[in-house]
């Protein structure tokens, strides 16, 4: 095919594939960088043109927040480019980042304040003024707070405007704030890392993959998740010759470059990790210099893992015992320049905190903390940033079971439990939850088999407030809707990131809002004015940017203004390698192979809370024709947020069901055949059929789909009913330590359409 015959769809696919390939180290596809370096006239034409007015920003197509330069001509955005000085992305954008313009110019987005006039879910609203919308909240919420107490309000939030929603909720007097990223994604991983090292991995992880010699990824799809800097580090490490052991029932984008693909039995990662630890201790492969100085509980760990032999682990996880021994030896051979990486979405089998504990211990035994190729140590920005007074955290008991004295005492109260808050709304216990405020979240699509219960929970609400840019599935059930300006239309508070290279980035509006929308700060302030608490909203994002400039030296201020980002490079991410003594904010002041602060919980609640990980068999299917449902991110979409973006739909507009050839043959299925997915536990059947993809890339006995499809919102003219949703079919189990969700114990059957 000549280049003139290349279709738009073909071009976009190539663009997306190039981005994935570049980040994954795949060769054979023309590199944008190489194109930029060529001197031919056509390249010059593309590289040197009238870019127009440049504005600094950072991307919000996902929450990695890559650096952006936004270009406008005649008041219209025509180009997004990566900011080469921003450490989150080094000048590169993924397919999602490049499609961000459509988030602003999408005619389907929410364009005006709205109040519901039809039944919940019908999507019938009337256009109102900002004054009417804020007054509506006051008129409806005030009597509820008077009758049930301010804690009757529960807030779910995800996005750059979180601090303002957080402040509004606290000022109103409710403690019930939940951030879904904890209980729907990172919570168990963070809990395990804190118990072991005294600090979390955070949303911008500290794995030094660019310099590592051997990385073991337990289902962490670096090339598929496409957090750009991480994907670049992953590809750089492979290019430098690092070995990659990839552990997953599915062959993902990251796995294609693996030295070893361990196609593990689902739910048995803990067995494999314990097998690795057994070999490393048994064969004296431990970095004893590090462990003896900085770790607590090595003797207890040695005795504990004696039972977890390679043969035992092989029997559980399905990986040959000799392979477990070989990889353990090879991993230790390159210590401390090695890293073992847990999944990012660690809401899987209900033993997630203990599984990550074992992975954290595997790192500790290698002594890789604060050394190149292991785990680098993040630093904060070395300046005094402006501080603003915030409302105090209400001391009222939370409704979601998070916090000291509650069912999940270790779950952080500042993040809460989304699953717990939905349950409290459903049962109206421990007290009535009668109002929800949603900021950029979509509970109907980011939960689980309990989705049916969410519909019932919403029926218990007397008020549902939504702040969003688009009509998500849950926004369609809202009583009042506040349209937020997109990230390209608004100033936001300075973005400050602790990191390997700490930095501050700016976001300034590239254009004025094209519809009747406002930033989250102004929306919250408008509501606060009705309740006479607007004094908590005296410092707008624009004012906060101005305050930041005053806190900087003239040289720093000029640098930030010119570059849109201010980097602080005089830090040491490898303190141990530099001879410094590392510190750990744990109860013992050391890396905790044995966690003494779990002892009391262990005695009260049993093995789930053991100070060292104890293996339990995963829940299994009750028939060979019932399949465990696995799901994961697509490199072309973000969660359930982008399936109405026409550019990304050109790359992927559905999510076929992956099934192993042996399973397909036994059921009489052929590739591309349409089937219905059924949840045998609840009896729920997908509303429409989806085609199957017969592939050896998925383990027998399991099926896989990409997350985020199957939307029910009819306001999405392009994404409505594309593919099928996993939320009706995954499990609603709970990790007992973190209180976070566990989705991968859901099982399905497939029925021919």
């Amino acid at each position: 095919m000549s280049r003139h015959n290349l279709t738009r769809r073909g071009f976009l696919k190539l663009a997306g594939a190039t981005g994935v390939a570049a980040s994954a180290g795949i060769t054979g596809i023309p590199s944008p960088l190489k194109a930029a370096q060529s001197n031919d006239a056509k390249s010059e034409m593309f590289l040197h043109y009238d870019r127009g007015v440049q504005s600094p920003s950072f991307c919000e197509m996902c929450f990695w927040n890559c650096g952006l330069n936004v270009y406008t001509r005649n008041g219209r955005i025509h180009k997004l480019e990566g900011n080469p000085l921003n450490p989150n992305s080094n000048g590169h954008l993924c397919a999602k980042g490049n499609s961000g313009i459509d988030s602003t110019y999408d005619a389907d987005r929410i364009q005006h304040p709205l109040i519901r006039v039809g039944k919940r879910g019908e999507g019938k609203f009337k256009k109102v003024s900002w004054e009417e919308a804020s007054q509506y909240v006051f008129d409806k919420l005030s009597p509820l707070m008077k009758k049930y107490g301010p804690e009757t309000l529960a807030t779910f939030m995800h996005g750059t405007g979180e601090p303002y929603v957080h402040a509004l909720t606290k000022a109103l007097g409710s403690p019930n704030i939940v951030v879904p990223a904890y209980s729907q994604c990172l919570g168990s991983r963070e809990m395990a890392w804190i118990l072991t090292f005294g600090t979390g991995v955070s949303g911008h992880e500290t794995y030094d993959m660019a310099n590592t010699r051997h990385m073991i990824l337990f289902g962490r799809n670096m090339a598929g998740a496409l957090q750009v800097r991480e994907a670049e580090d992953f590809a750089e490490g492979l290019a430098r010759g690092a070995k990659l052991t990839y552990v997953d029932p599915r062959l993902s984008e990251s796995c294609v470059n693996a030295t070893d693909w361990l196609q593990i039995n689902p739910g048995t990662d803990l067995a494999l990790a314990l097998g690795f630890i057994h070999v490393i201790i048994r064969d004296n492969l431990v970095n004893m210099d590090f462990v003896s100085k900085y770790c607590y509980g090595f003797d207890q760990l040695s005795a504990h893992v004696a039972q977890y032999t390679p043969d035992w682990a092989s029997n559980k996880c399905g990986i040959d015992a000799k392979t477990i021994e070989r990889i353990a030896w090879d991993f230790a051979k390159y210590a401390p320049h090695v890293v073992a990486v847990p999944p990012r979405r660690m809401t899987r089998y209900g033993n997630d905190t203990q599984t990550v504990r074992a992975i954290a211990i595997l790192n500790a035994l290698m002594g890789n903390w604060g050394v190149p190729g292991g785990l680098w140590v993040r630093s904060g920005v070395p300046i005094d940033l402006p501080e603003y007074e915030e409302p105090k955290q209400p001391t009222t008991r939370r409704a979601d079971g998070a916090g000291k004295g509650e069912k999940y005492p270790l779950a952080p109260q500042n993040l809460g439990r989304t699953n717990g808050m939905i349950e409290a709304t459903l049962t109206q216990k421990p007290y009535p939850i009668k109002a929800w405020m949603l900021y950029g979240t979509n509970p109907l699509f980011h939960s689980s088999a309990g989705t049916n219960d969410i519909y019932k929970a919403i029926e218990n609400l007397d008020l549902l407030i939504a702040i969003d840019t688009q009509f998500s599935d849950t926004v369609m059930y809202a009583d009042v809707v506040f349209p937020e300006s997109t990230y390209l239309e608004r100033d936001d508070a300075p973005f400050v990131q602790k990191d390997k290279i700490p930095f501050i980035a700016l976001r300034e509006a590239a254009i004025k809002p094209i519809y009747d929308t406002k930033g989250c700060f102004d929306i919250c302030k408008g509501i606060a004015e009705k309740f006479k608490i607007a004094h908590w909203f005296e410092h707008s994002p624009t004012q906060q940017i101005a305050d930041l400039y005053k806190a900087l030296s003239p040289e720093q201020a000029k640098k930030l203004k010119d570059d849109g980002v201010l980097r602080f490079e005089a830090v040491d991410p490898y303190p141990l390698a530099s001879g410094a003594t590392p510190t750990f904010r744990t109860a013992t002041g050391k890396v905790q192979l044995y966690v003494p602060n779990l002892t009391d919980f262990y005695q009260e609640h049993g093995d789930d809370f053991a100070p060292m990980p104890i293996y339990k068999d995963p829940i299994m299917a009750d028939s060979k024709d019932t399949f465990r449902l696995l799901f994961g991110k697509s490199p072309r979409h973000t969660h359930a947020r982008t399936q109405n973006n026409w550019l990304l739909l050109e790359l992927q507009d559905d999510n076929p069901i992956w099934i192993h050839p042996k399973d397909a043959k036994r059921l009489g299925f052929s590739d591309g055949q349409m089937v219905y997915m059924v949840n045998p536990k609840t009896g729920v059947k997908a509303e429409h059929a989806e085609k199957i993809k017969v592939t050896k890339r998925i383990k027998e006995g399991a099926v896989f789909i990409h997350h985020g499809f199957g939307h029910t919102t009819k306001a999405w003219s392009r994404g409505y009913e594309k593919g099928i949703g996993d939320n009706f079919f995954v499990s609603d189990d709970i990790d007992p330590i973190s209180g976070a969700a566990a989705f991968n114990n859901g099982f399905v059957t497939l029925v021919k359409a």
Side-chain angles (χ1 to χ4, degrees):
M1 181 176 65
S2 74
R3 79 172 56 175
H4 298 296
N5 289 332
L6 188 64
T7 63
R8 182 182 63 176
R9 183 183 180 87
F11 169 77
L12 287 166
K13 278 190 171 180
L14 178 60
T18 304
V20 173
S23 62
I26 299 171
T27 59
I29 297 177
S31 160
L33 181 59
K34 290 180 179 177
Q37 291 171 337
S38 70
N39 292 321
D40 63 68
K42 188 158 291 184
S43 293
E44 285 295 312
M45 181 183 71
F46 282 112
L47 288 170
H48 300 101
Y49 60 95
D50 177 17
R51 283 176 164 80
V53 178
Q54 176 181 322
S55 301
S57 191
F58 45 89
C59 185
E60 200 158 312
M61 291 300 289
C62 81
F63 297 100
W64 186 258
N65 299 128
C66 292
L68 279 183
N69 289 325
V70 185
Y71 295 97
T72 58
R73 282 198 300 251
N74 301 319
R76 186 176 177 85
I77 301 166
H78 70 93
K79 178 72 173 176
L80 303 178
E81 289 185 352
N83 184 335
L85 299 174
N86 189 302
N88 270 353
S89 50
N90 301 309
H92 302 127
L93 295 177
C94 68
K96 295 170 288 188
N98 277 301
S99 72
I101 293 177
D102 189 53
S103 69
T104 295
Y105 293 110
D106 181 3
D108 287 347
R109 59 180 281 204
I110 308 169
Q111 301 179 7
H112 313 278
L114 300 167
I115 290 177
R116 179 174 60 83
V117 293
K119 295 180 180 177
R120 279 185 173 152
E122 280 189 321
K124 294 182 178 178
F125 299 95
K126 66 177 181 181
K127 177 181 173 183
V128 298
S129 68
W130 287 95
E131 167 67 20
E132 290 173 297
S134 297
Q135 187 65 44
Y136 182 91
V137 172
F138 179 80
D139 292 343
K140 297 294 183 181
L141 184 57
S142 293
L144 294 175
M145 293 170 59
K146 185 175 181 180
K147 182 176 182 179
Y148 301 108
E151 62 270 23
T152 197
L153 171 66
T155 295
F156 302 67
M157 58 184 187
H158 198 188
T160 304
E162 281 181 19
Y164 312 123
V165 183
H166 201 273
L168 176 61
T169 306
K170 288 193 298 183
L172 287 169
S174 176
N176 290 318
I177 301 167
V178 294
V179 178
Y182 175 80
S183 55
Q184 309 296 102
C185 189
L186 309 171
S188 294
R189 186 192 68 172
E190 294 300 284
M191 182 66 65
W193 225 254
I194 290 170
L195 289 171
T196 307
F197 293 109
T199 184
V201 186
S202 92
H204 292 82
E205 292 93 333
T206 58
Y207 319 124
D208 192 20
M209 291 175 292
N211 298 303
T212 199
R213 302 291 302 279
H214 189 153
M215 51 184 133
I216 302 177
L217 305 189
F218 286 84
R220 178 73 166 92
N221 187 6
M222 292 291 179
L226 276 185
Q227 276 92 21
V228 172
R229 193 264 297 153
E230 270 196 344
E232 290 175 337
D233 287 352
F234 172 70
E236 180 69 21
L238 293 177
R240 293 180 178 180
K243 293 185 177 179
L244 168 61
T245 297
Y246 198 82
V247 182
D248 202 321
R250 179 179 77 103
L251 191 149
S252 70
E253 292 83 358
S254 300
C255 189
V256 296
N257 282 318
T259 313
D260 286 280
W261 174 28
L262 308 186
Q263 195 176 25
I264 194 169
N265 294 330
T268 63
D269 299 61
L270 177 55
L272 178 62
L274 290 169
F276 284 149
I277 293 170
H278 173 98
V279 174
I280 287 168
I281 293 178
R282 181 198 68 188
D283 296 348
N284 298 317
L285 303 175
V286 175
N287 183 338
M288 286 306 300
D289 182 56
F290 179 88
V291 169
S292 61
K293 291 179 180 175
Y294 305 118
C295 293
Y296 177 87
F298 179 71
D299 291 341
Q300 293 98 318
L301 178 68
S302 298
H304 176 66
V305 299
Q307 61 188 306
Y308 298 126
T309 66
D311 286 333
W312 170 87
S314 176
N315 185 50
K316 298 296 183 182
C317 69
I319 306 301
D320 178 73
K322 292 192 178 300
T323 299
I324 296 173
E325 299 212 22
R326 174 175 59 80
I327 291 176
W329 269 81
D330 194 79
F331 191 63
K333 174 182 175 183
Y334 296 106
H337 310 294
V338 296
V339 62
V341 178
R344 184 178 177 91
R345 180 186 66 79
M346 199 55 197
T347 50
R348 301 198 173 204
Y349 303 99
N351 63 348
D352 302 313
T353 301
Q354 292 289 27
T355 296
V356 181
R357 274 272 299 139
I359 296 170
I361 290 170
L362 193 55
N363 283 290
L365 295 179
M366 297 294 97
N368 66 355
W369 183 268
V371 299
L375 300 167
W376 47 259
V377 178
R378 66 174 65 88
S379 298
V381 296
I383 60 172
D384 293 326
L385 295 168
E387 295 184 359
Y388 307 99
E389 188 179 4
E390 298 179 359
K392 292 183 179 179
Q393 178 69 33
T395 56
T396 316
R397 180 188 181 189
R398 293 181 59 92
D400 60 358
K404 187 176 181 180
E406 299 294 340
K407 186 174 182 179
Y408 301 98
L410 299 181
Q413 296 193 46
N414 63 326
L415 301 175
R417 300 177 55 249
T418 302
N419 39 351
M421 202 60 72
I422 292 171
E423 182 181 1
T425 310
L426 177 68
T427 61
Q428 295 291 289
K429 294 179 179 179
Y431 49 75
I433 297 294
K434 290 294 183 182
W436 280 4
M437 180 160 57
L438 309 180
Y439 170 59
T441 59
N442 185 6
L444 278 173
F445 220 84
H446 281 302
S447 296
S448 62
T451 291
N452 290 319
D453 288 339
I454 299 177
Y455 286 110
K456 296 177 184 175
I458 290 174
E459 292 176 2
N460 286 335
L461 297 174
D462 292 335
L463 177 63
L464 203 171
I465 308 162
I467 303 171
D468 212 320
T469 61
Q470 56 183 333
F471 287 102
S472 72
D473 309 87
T474 315
V475 168
M476 296 292 278
Y477 286 78
D479 300 307
V480 56
V481 181
F482 292 86
E484 189 188 23
S485 302
T486 72
Y487 67 100
L488 300 174
E489 298 174 316
R490 64 178 195 251
D491 289 354
D492 270 314
F495 180 87
V496 182
Q497 185 169 311
K498 292 181 178 179
D499 214 294
K500 186 178 184 180
I501 301 174
F503 65 96
I504 302 172
L506 291 184
R507 174 184 284 164
E508 296 177 350
I511 59 172
K512 295 180 179 178
I514 61 176
Y515 299 114
D516 186 14
T517 62
K518 293 184 178 181
C520 188
F521 172 87
D522 290 318
I523 293 171
C524 291
K525 183 177 181 180
I527 296 172
E529 286 172 345
K530 296 296 180 185
F531 289 88
K532 311 297 184 187
I533 53 175
H535 57 282
W536 295 112
F537 295 88
E538 295 179 347
H539 303 277
S540 70
T542 305
Q543 181 62 49
Q544 292 183 49
I545 293 173
D547 293 344
L548 172 64
Y549 275 116
K550 294 176 184 175
L552 300 176
S553 69
E555 294 77 15
Q556 289 172 328
K558 183 177 187 307
K559 190 74 174 171
L560 181 61
K561 184 175 181 59
D562 291 346
D563 298 340
V565 62
L566 183 61
R567 301 159 58 110
F568 299 88
E569 304 202 28
V571 295
D572 184 3
Y574 309 118
L576 186 65
S578 301
T581 300
T583 58
F584 301 97
R585 292 181 295 177
T586 59
T588 61
K590 293 188 173 184
V591 179
Q592 297 187 148
L593 309 178
Y594 178 100
V595 181
N597 34 324
L598 284 181
T599 303
D600 289 344
F601 295 112
Y602 179 39
Q603 292 175 349
E604 183 176 354
H605 301 291
D607 288 354
D608 289 337
F609 284 82
M612 296 175 291
I614 293 176
Y615 180 79
K616 291 171 62 176
D617 287 323
I619 298 170
M620 301 299 291
D622 56 9
S623 117
K624 66 179 181 179
D625 293 335
T626 302
F627 300 93
R628 185 185 297 274
L629 175 61
L630 305 178
F631 68 94
K633 292 177 67 175
S634 162
R636 307 165 193 87
H637 287 281
T638 300
H639 307 315
R641 296 164 55 91
T642 61
Q643 288 74 26
N644 198 47
N645 183 303
W646 72 269
L647 290 161
L648 297 177
L649 284 174
E650 290 280 339
L651 298 173
Q652 182 180 0
D653 64 0
D654 66 355
N655 57 344
I657 304 164
W658 296 20
I659 187 171
H660 191 276
K662 290 183 179 178
D663 289 328
K665 183 177 181 180
R666 189 179 69 254
L667 296 174
F669 292 164
S670 58
D671 192 54
Q673 184 166 356
M674 303 299 290
V675 300
Y676 288 103
M677 183 174 285
V678 178
N679 185 332
K681 179 180 177 181
T682 64
V684 170
K685 178 181 178 182
E687 290 190 0
H688 62 273
E690 179 57 68
K691 59 178 172 287
I692 62 170
K693 175 179 179 176
V694 180
T695 174
K696 292 181 180 178
R697 291 174 62 184
I698 185 68
K699 185 92 172 178
E700 286 181 65
V703 294
F704 170 85
I705 57 175
H706 281 122
H707 176 63
F709 288 87
H711 288 276
T712 59
T713 171
K714 295 180 180 179
W716 282 15
S717 62
R718 297 173 294 278
Y720 174 58
E721 288 193 338
K722 292 281 188 181
I724 58 173
D726 50 63
N727 48 315
F728 287 99
F729 304 102
V730 297
S731 53
D732 56 354
D733 294 350
I734 299 173
D735 181 286
I737 299 179
S738 68
F743 293 137
N744 287 7
N745 289 329
F747 297 89
V748 300
T749 57
L750 302 176
V751 180
K752 291 180 180 178

